[in-house]
Amino acid sequence: LSWWLLFPLLASVYGFSQAQAKTADNFFLGFPSYWNVVAAYLYWLQPPVWFSLGLITLLALLTFVPSFYLYPSRGGPFSKLTNLLCLFWGVALILIVARFFEDARFLIWTSLAFPIYYFALSWAITFQRWIGKRRQSTGPGHRLSKSTSETSISED
């Protein structure tokens, strides 16, 4: 099954080759190459193979979706909170890797809260922007006109 690892590799190649991988307002565009984080949690939690393959495939595909992911070291919304949570997350990861606790399962599961927060907040912002863009394109001053072959938006 190791050939499945081509998905994140190719997604990373694509992501790193994009000149516009970062937006002007300090977001990553498309899933950023956080494969080391994904690999660490898959190693620690050892979920079923089908789940691991599904997650890897989903995240690789999200590299190509024009979605917005927080880039907290560059400022932007929620950067202070995200950086503070990242600090706690980093300490938790150090404790896990250093095997500070004999049984680190609780700490591993607890530390997973930060990647979930990051992903959920990034997607909340993405949906907000997508909905805002849709409203702008269909708001006042715009009329939907439908011809037999295509749908287009024209200004009044």
Side-chain angles (χ1 to χ4, degrees):
L1 294 176
S2 60
W3 66 271
W4 281 87
L5 297 177
L6 284 174
F7 287 151
L9 176 66
L10 294 174
S12 289
V13 167
Y14 172 80
F16 282 113
S17 70
Q18 295 302 303
Q20 296 165 346
K22 296 170 185 91
T23 65
D25 56 348
N26 300 320
F27 286 94
F28 290 109
L29 189 60
F31 179 73
S33 291
Y34 289 151
W35 295 108
N36 52 345
V37 174
V38 175
Y41 279 103
L42 291 178
Y43 174 77
W44 290 331
L45 298 174
Q46 298 182 0
V49 172
W50 64 266
F51 180 85
S52 299
L53 292 177
L55 181 65
I56 288 169
T57 303
L58 174 67
L59 295 175
L61 290 173
L62 287 177
T63 302
F64 303 95
V65 176
S67 47
F68 300 91
Y69 292 85
L70 299 171
Y71 192 174
S73 63
R74 294 284 179 115
F78 304 100
S79 63
K80 288 181 183 177
L81 174 62
T82 303
N83 284 322
L84 179 64
L85 293 174
C86 188
L87 176 66
F88 289 117
W89 179 66
V91 169
L93 294 184
I94 289 169
L95 295 174
I96 293 166
V97 171
R99 298 180 185 208
F100 189 77
F101 299 102
E102 191 168 317
D103 185 7
R105 282 182 291 188
F106 176 75
L107 190 55
I108 292 168
W109 281 103
T110 304
S111 72
L112 190 57
F114 178 74
I116 291 170
Y117 155 84
Y118 178 89
F119 198 82
L121 183 56
S122 294
W123 271 95
I125 291 168
T126 296
F127 286 132
Q128 180 184 27
R129 287 181 171 216
W130 286 355
I131 291 167
K133 221 182 246 189
R134 188 167 183 211
R135 283 186 185 150
Q136 285 177 351
S137 67
T138 60
H142 288 82
R143 182 184 79 233
L144 289 176
S145 62
K146 188 171 185 174
S147 68
T148 55
S149 61
E150 64 183 50
T151 302
S152 63
I153 299 174
S154 60
E155 289 191 46
D156 279 333

